[in-house]
Amino acid sequence: MAGLILEHLYKRYDNSGKKKKTKNDFAVKDLNLVCEQGEFIAFLGPSGCGKTTTLRMIAGLEEITQGNIYIGDQLVNNLHPKDRHIGLAFEDYAMYPPLNVYGNVAFNLRAKGVDKKEIDKRVREIAPLMQIDDILDKMPVKLSGGQKQRVNIARAIIREPELLLMDEPLSHLDGKARQAMRVEIKRLINKIKCTTIYVTHDQLEAMSLADKIAIINFGVLQQFGTPTEVYDDPVNEFVASFIGEPPMNILVTTIAKIDGKFFFTFENSNLKIAVPKRYYSVVSDGFRCKMGVRPMDVLIGGEDSDGTPEKIATFENLGDERRIGIHVGDILLMLITEDEKRYKSGDIIKLEVRGEKTHLFDIETGERIREKQEV
Ligand code: ATP
């Protein structure tokens, strides 16, 4: 059974009163998505791409301009938020200051008139899951950011929602605490097995948590797939450069045919990379497109390598990996290496590129150019 279906969903805000009209009229444009029961889905995209608007429409907090939303089998377009069986954990964890943690977690069940004994049972079940059992007596003002985030999520899941909606729930935490909470969220969701939508602009968070990622740009869904699919098989330049840190290198290239073989060549650069045979059916001499390759697929060749000699422009030592930048025309091509040698700017290395790992994109549209499938 599907946990959530979004069908031709549109949202247009009424900006008629505003002096400055925005270019993009629709905050969400023709969004179609099917999330299976129990799946953990991340909505990922840059600021302003429509993630929160979509989440708020699912929650019933924002009116739909057009389209349908189903939670489970039920069309919820006209249902009040409280009747949608959802749990909400939003970025600003507004807690009730006069109530202690127990009171905050129990609040919604009390408001619904759930029996006192049942409330106590559920609070005491959830508290260890969220690791808040030792702070149930504490007042909100005495809590750390991480503890508030945990209470916030506990309040959302105590309702035993059919659908859990989280909007940047870790945004107020610093790097280390964020990483720790990420692990906790994963553990928790594995236990409660509830369909979850998780809004984030952090691709690392999406990659590490989600079963599937919906990548959105300018209100339009770009790709919906598993972390491996969107990383290894991006549908366009936007997805390719949004997923991965450091991002995929993307360079404009002109294909050159030399002695019967095709090569990627680059303006103002000697770099020449063999085009993998699988692209031979879609390229030709002089063909221009963009070539993408991830930094870990750019390598430093050994002494007898026939890679192109290139001068190092930047060198960063990050402890367990080193990042090297090389100018290819106007672009700084990044490579990641575990080579422990301390390079410095100006050093010459033999640059090799795993040709089989390259992706091609259309210069104008950014769409992926795929090799023709054999029939
Ligand atoms: P962020 O990560 O910054 O929260 P987002 O991807 O969640 O961004 P939304 O908040 O959904 O993006 O906004 C999508 C678009 O809709 C933006 O262009 C935003 O300016 C616009 N928008 C959001 N809320 C309103 C509103 N109440 N009235 C008018 N326009 C709005």
Side-chain angles (χ1 to χ4, degrees):
M1 190 177 82
L4 171 73
I5 300 176
L6 307 180
E7 216 174 60
H8 299 296
L9 195 62
Y10 285 81
K11 176 67 189 180
R12 176 181 232 149
Y13 285 106
D14 179 12
N15 287 327
S16 51
K18 290 211 174 137
K19 276 192 200 145
K20 202 174 154 218
K21 299 274 182 277
T22 49
K23 188 179 117 224
N24 180 34
D25 272 352
F26 286 96
V28 177
K29 223 189 260 180
D30 198 18
L31 179 57
N32 292 286
L33 214 62
V34 177
C35 314
E36 296 305 327
Q37 173 73 41
E39 267 185 337
F40 190 117
I41 307 295
F43 284 181
L44 176 69
S47 183
C49 74
K51 307 178 294 286
T52 298
T53 300
T54 307
L55 203 75
R56 289 175 57 81
M57 286 194 283
I58 298 167
L61 302 172
E62 196 69 67
E63 225 172 89
I64 298 171
T65 303
Q66 205 178 306
N68 290 320
I69 299 176
Y70 298 85
I71 297 177
D73 290 337
Q74 191 179 18
L75 180 68
V76 298
N77 287 21
N78 300 316
L79 271 193
H80 191 273
K82 73 173 172 34
D83 299 322
R84 294 190 182 202
H85 306 293
I86 49 174
L88 295 171
F90 281 2
E91 173 180 355
D92 68 10
Y93 32 69
M95 294 172 67
Y96 305 106
L99 301 181
N100 63 12
V101 168
Y102 186 106
N104 268 282
V105 176
F107 186 85
N108 284 307
L109 296 184
R110 280 183 181 151
K112 269 174 146 181
V114 176
D115 175 68
K116 218 172 157 185
K117 263 195 185 151
E118 172 66 18
I119 294 178
D120 191 60
K121 183 175 148 258
R122 273 155 74 173
V123 173
R124 301 211 180 269
E125 264 169 19
I126 275 174
L129 274 184
M130 287 316 301
Q131 297 175 359
I132 53 170
D133 34 350
D134 54 343
I135 55 164
L136 287 173
D137 296 333
K138 275 200 177 180
M139 301 308 283
V141 67
K142 299 249 168 89
L143 301 180
S144 71
Q147 288 170 328
K148 283 183 192 161
Q149 300 279 14
R150 287 199 191 92
V151 175
N152 190 31
I153 296 169
R155 286 198 309 184
I157 60 174
I158 198 164
R159 302 158 168 222
E160 297 177 346
E162 215 174 300
L163 184 64
L164 180 59
L165 304 175
M166 299 205 251
D167 191 350
E168 305 261 9
L170 310 186
S171 59
H172 294 295
L173 301 184
D174 60 32
K176 230 176 165 178
R178 237 180 132 100
Q179 199 186 346
M181 265 307 272
R182 222 163 55 204
V183 176
E184 284 179 31
I185 289 183
K186 183 104 193 165
R187 180 181 53 80
L188 175 79
I189 300 296
N190 279 341
K191 260 201 177 129
I192 64 172
K193 296 190 186 347
C194 161
T195 311
T196 302
I197 307 291
Y198 187 97
V199 162
T200 181
H201 62 268
D202 180 341
Q203 55 100 16
L204 205 73
E205 217 162 271
M207 292 292 279
S208 65
L209 283 173
D211 295 316
K212 285 197 192 135
I213 306 178
I215 299 164
I216 304 170
N217 194 24
F218 288 124
V220 177
L221 180 68
Q222 307 288 309
Q223 188 167 3
F224 183 49
T226 64
T228 311
E229 279 164 359
V230 297
Y231 185 86
D232 287 343
D233 197 13
V235 296
N236 59 26
E237 185 183 342
F238 176 81
V239 173
S241 52
F242 201 78
I243 298 279
E245 169 36 41
M248 185 184 279
N249 296 295
I250 296 186
L251 302 94
V252 171
T253 178
T254 304
I255 306 290
K257 191 171 189 182
I258 305 167
D259 297 334
K261 289 184 179 159
F262 288 117
F263 292 87
F264 296 112
T265 66
F266 307 91
E267 209 168 89
N268 299 323
S269 166
N270 292 328
L271 183 63
K272 227 170 52 185
I273 302 166
V275 174
K277 290 251 160 51
R278 62 195 161 95
Y279 289 132
Y280 274 30
S281 58
V282 290
V283 299
S284 53
D285 194 27
F287 180 75
R288 277 167 62 77
C289 63
K290 286 185 180 176
M291 185 217 71
V293 66
R294 297 216 176 266
M296 45 288 293
D297 295 319
V298 184
L299 312 169
I300 302 172
E303 274 179 17
D304 49 0
S305 153
D306 55 5
T308 316
E310 293 284 355
K311 201 188 269 183
I312 291 180
T314 61
F315 177 75
E316 291 169 279
N317 184 356
L318 303 182
D320 53 350
E321 66 174 41
R322 282 127 201 101
R323 296 181 179 188
I324 291 176
I326 285 156
H327 284 299
V328 176
D330 298 339
I331 300 283
L332 193 66
L333 178 85
M334 295 301 296
L335 74 86
I336 293 182
T337 177
E338 287 174 7
D339 182 348
E340 293 195 354
K341 187 169 164 188
R342 298 292 170 109
Y343 290 97
K344 56 185 189 315
S345 307
D347 285 352
I348 304 288
I349 55 166
K350 298 259 192 80
L351 194 67
E352 291 180 10
V353 172
R354 287 193 178 117
E356 73 280 8
K357 293 282 190 178
T358 54
H359 300 290
L360 306 190
F361 303 99
D362 186 284
I363 290 193
E364 300 297 328
T365 65
E367 288 303 306
R368 181 91 172 270
I369 301 171
R370 292 181 184 275
E371 62 272 26
K372 293 206 172 78
Q373 298 292 324
E374 301 273 332
V375 272

